Amino acid sequence: MQAAGLPSFRSYRLHHYRQIGVAARLAIGAPILLLLVLTVALVSLSLGPVDIPTSHVAWIVLSAFGIDVPAFGRTEQLVIEQIRLPRIIVGASVGMALGVAGATLQGLFRNPMADPGIIGVSAGGAVGAVVAIATGMTGLFFLALPAFAFAGAIAASLLVYGIAAVGGHFSMATLLLAGVAVNAFLGAIVSAIIILLPDNEALREILFWLAGGLDSRAWEHVWIATPLILGSAAVLLLLARDLNLLMLGDDEARSMGVRVGLTRVVLLATAALATGAAVAVSGTIAFVGLVIPHILRLILGPDNRVLIPMSALGGALFVILADTVARTIIEPAEFRVGVLTAFVGAPFFLLLLIKNKRQVYSL
Amino acid sequence: MSIQQLRIIGVLVVLLFALALTACSSNEPPPAPVEPPAQTATTPSTTEVVEVPEEQVEIEPVAATEEPISAPDAAPAPEPEPAPAPDPEPEPEPVKRPLDSVRGIVDPTNSGWPREVEGLNGIVTVPAKPLRIITASVGHDEMTLALVPEERLVAVGSATKNATYSNVAALVQEKVEISRDPETIVAQSPDIVVTSPFFSVEGVEALQRAGILVVQTELKHDPEARINSILLMGYIFGEEERASEFADEVQARYDALVAVTSAKEPMPRVLALTQYSDTLWVAGSNSTEGGVITAAGGINAAEEAGIEGNQTTSLEGVIVMAPDIIIIPQPVEFGAEEFRQSLFEIEALAETPAIKNGNVHVVESKHFTTLSYWNIRGAEDLARILWPDDFPNPPADTFSLAE
């Protein structure tokens, strides 16, 4: 069903992209993006406050695969293995999650301005994290903060979905409006906690968490977030064809054999799960879920079979790049990656919007 | 859209514009004439007209003319000081320390009332000895209690009552609590509010509009600035003699410390490191912790690495800074001890000198982070860690208070 006031995705000018088939677009685009991701990851691996020669980085990486290499320092190895590598993997996972969730939700809402925050996941994660910090739960056990953030993210998305499905009649328009209202409500809770919190340290923690960051990410964060994100991305990719059909309208999708209600729930839940896992380990990193699918849609067209995997790679690339800059630009101090993604993403996005005004309007 | 609709919209826009203009002009304060403060029973004041240059902040019209300096509903206050009589040449009070070099005192030779001080918010005329004081800053509260009898500090913020952050929490538990809302301050009818640079400009302006005398003073990190703050606040409160005595006490403790620490070689490289959630923080140049490290005879490793103020860093940053000693000025309630333990469990830090030698210490955070003379106590604590043979005994637990 078409939400009131939303641009119609029926008007997709698919013919622009039909000239190159889905398989061809994937076959050309995916290796290029994957190569870029790997290159940026390797460059990122060799940059940081500790000066490690690139050759040593290469030897450390090769030695991980059991290849005989010349000797390198133990500290160098530990910095690469225990500090930089998990951080890069978490960054890639977060970018991937936000990218695929953004692409999926933009398709589901038939609105290129939708992002993962629209179903309350980010705001819910923020409330969970803020509650954990304000109540001192973060000191109780190592992963308390991501656990609370994840629980908050999932609870918020369930609430938004529950409101949209009240009375057994699900509506995307209600989902959108419920998302707006729940986001505002959860934002108010965060503000209230910040205002009432007497502890300066807790306030500082909250503000920094809200700014989004990948500092001190360890292998534990990789293990809790990456499998969930990879699994979610795989499910969304499998449902990409159904999402394409849903974008044409419920009746069309149903006539093509799509179980509209079930598919929509699975898509929403999976996008929420991916975003929740990302928010849990990185805080709220702005703009990735909005800007990456949007840019790729302008380049590659709206077919989700291309868009979802490419958004995963594009998101990973963007976050790794932003985090590399964040941790090296004022080294040995650090910048917040969430601030940087918005700083870089917003102007770039606006530039693209202006340059491609006509094309964007048609989306 | 019809012509008629356009006309209606045009009229509405003009009306809105006119309303906005009216609102703007009504918000501007009237060009208040500088009037002499009223002479009251409680705080007889001068009747001289205070000449305020154009660039100076006009503060007093409402408070000075409509309200007595000491609020009528104040708790029984100590007998006011001898009236700052309208004597053109007030009898100077004995002052030990010369005030000439104290930044912020406009005329060091004037020991009578009114007196002028230059704060960050401009030159402010204090018409009479303030009996009801609010500072809205932990550091200022700590200094105020050292300078004036406790009852003259009429209200404090929640942080001053919190023993995690405040070194005078035990003394202020019964005091009225104020918040960031200027109204809570106005409600206490203070004679003066001395604020830190962190108090918002809007807050200062709101208090001034409500007729409250506000002086916004600097809060720097070096010991010389601490002495300056003590003497300036003593002058503002009309307690020059006590301020001089107290400055001597603080200076003596500082000098005794530095006499030993400044001669020590080699100076260890010290890193003030904290962790809140997963984020690591270090204190570089122009930080309170940095000043404490220098006073205690250490080299601030973060400052050496080019870090300014309090910044976030990574484990790699810690490795690069390679401190000989890590101090953790973080409240124990916020996991300081757990953080200390965790540093020893990180393999990548194993070769960092401080970790290798087991030189990681949790220190009393409020001695290191407050913006007052209590930093001297922090430096004394740290000096005992850096030079245990030279400082075998614990430092004096506290500083003297005003009586």
Side-chain angles (χ1 to χ4, degrees), chain B residues 26-174:
Chain B
S26 66
N27 280 341
E28 284 174 12
V34 179
E35 294 176 17
Q39 194 162 359
T40 68
T42 49
T43 56
S45 184
T46 180
T47 52
E48 288 176 0
V49 174
V50 182
E51 290 293 333
V52 181
E54 277 179 18
E55 72 275 14
Q56 292 174 5
V57 178
E58 292 178 349
I59 304 287
E60 62 273 51
V62 181
T65 56
E66 295 174 10
E67 294 267 338
I69 294 301
S70 179
D73 58 346
E79 197 63 32
E81 291 286 305
D87 188 343
E89 287 185 6
E91 197 175 324
E93 291 171 11
V95 176
K96 282 182 189 169
R97 276 182 175 248
L99 298 176
D100 304 44
S101 57
V102 178
R103 287 189 308 281
I105 297 179
V106 173
D107 179 7
T109 62
N110 175 19
S111 54
W113 304 96
R115 53 182 60 177
E116 287 181 329
V117 288
E118 184 170 13
L120 299 174
N121 57 328
I123 292 180
V124 178
T125 302
V126 186
K129 183 171 182 169
L131 298 179
R132 294 179 63 79
I133 299 165
I134 289 178
T135 83
S137 140
V138 178
H140 278 99
D141 280 338
E142 289 175 349
M143 282 190 275
T144 302
L145 285 171
L147 298 176
V148 303
E150 169 271 318
E151 61 271 16
R152 281 174 64 187
L153 182 67
V154 293
V156 295
S158 61
T160 306
K161 287 187 170 187
N162 188 336
T164 302
Y165 310 114
S166 161
N167 293 288
V168 293
L171 302 173
V172 298
Q173 289 306 311
E174 302 305 318

Side-chain angles (χ1 to χ4, degrees), chain B residues 10-312:
Chain B
V11 170
L12 282 173
V13 168
V14 170
L15 276 174
L16 278 172
F17 187 65
L19 270 173
L21 274 180
T22 315
C24 285
S25 58
S26 66
N27 280 341
E28 284 174 12
V34 179
E35 294 176 17
Q39 194 162 359
T40 68
T42 49
T43 56
S45 184
T46 180
T47 52
E48 288 176 0
V49 174
V50 182
E51 290 293 333
V52 181
E54 277 179 18
E55 72 275 14
Q56 292 174 5
V57 178
E58 292 178 349
I59 304 287
E60 62 273 51
V62 181
T65 56
E66 295 174 10
E67 294 267 338
I69 294 301
S70 179
D73 58 346
E79 197 63 32
E81 291 286 305
D87 188 343
E89 287 185 6
E91 197 175 324
E93 291 171 11
V95 176
K96 282 182 189 169
R97 276 182 175 248
L99 298 176
D100 304 44
S101 57
V102 178
R103 287 189 308 281
I105 297 179
V106 173
D107 179 7
T109 62
N110 175 19
S111 54
W113 304 96
R115 53 182 60 177
E116 287 181 329
V117 288
E118 184 170 13
L120 299 174
N121 57 328
I123 292 180
V124 178
T125 302
V126 186
K129 183 171 182 169
L131 298 179
R132 294 179 63 79
I133 299 165
I134 289 178
T135 83
S137 140
V138 178
H140 278 99
D141 280 338
E142 289 175 349
M143 282 190 275
T144 302
L145 285 171
L147 298 176
V148 303
E150 169 271 318
E151 61 271 16
R152 281 174 64 187
L153 182 67
V154 293
V156 295
S158 61
T160 306
K161 287 187 170 187
N162 188 336
T164 302
Y165 310 114
S166 161
N167 293 288
V168 293
L171 302 173
V172 298
Q173 289 306 311
E174 302 305 318
K175 294 213 179 284
V176 174
E177 192 169 309
I178 52 169
S179 71
R180 293 170 192 144
D181 180 359
E183 196 174 330
T184 63
I185 296 174
V186 174
Q188 298 309 313
S189 308
D191 296 336
I192 195 164
V193 174
V194 182
T195 70
S196 75
F198 307 113
F199 200 79
S200 70
V201 176
E202 293 83 0
V204 170
E205 283 175 0
L207 288 172
Q208 288 175 343
R209 276 199 299 272
I212 306 285
L213 201 62
V214 183
V215 184
Q216 194 167 30
T217 70
E218 64 177 18
L219 275 180
K220 289 189 176 171
H221 304 288
D222 57 290
E224 185 275 330
R226 293 279 182 269
I227 298 295
N228 193 85
S229 294
I230 290 167
L231 294 172
L232 176 61
M233 287 177 71
Y235 183 75
I236 293 168
F237 299 152
E239 298 289 351
E240 296 94 309
E241 198 173 351
R242 167 62 189 156
S244 176
E245 179 189 307
F246 187 66
D248 285 345
E249 177 188 335
V250 173
Q251 186 77 55
R253 278 178 79 158
Y254 178 72
D255 289 346
L257 176 77
V258 174
V260 178
T261 59
S262 60
K264 301 302 286 187
E265 287 287 345
M267 292 161 86
R269 303 177 71 259
V270 182
L271 182 67
L273 180 70
T274 52
Q275 184 189 43
Y276 295 103
S277 294
D278 294 325
T279 303
L280 295 175
W281 290 79
V282 286
S285 57
N286 294 322
S287 67
T288 316
E289 298 92 326
V292 172
I293 290 170
T294 308
I299 295 169
N300 184 0
E303 181 176 352
E304 213 178 40
I307 290 176
E308 198 172 330
N310 293 79
Q311 299 252 14
T312 59

Side-chain angles (χ1 to χ4, degrees), chain A residues 112-134:
Chain A
M113 290 295 123
D115 81 347
I118 206 165
I119 47 172
V121 187
S122 302
V127 169
V130 167
V131 166
I133 295 168

Side-chain angles (χ1 to χ4, degrees), chain B residues 175 370 382:
Chain B
K175 294 213 179 284
T370 186
L382 182 56

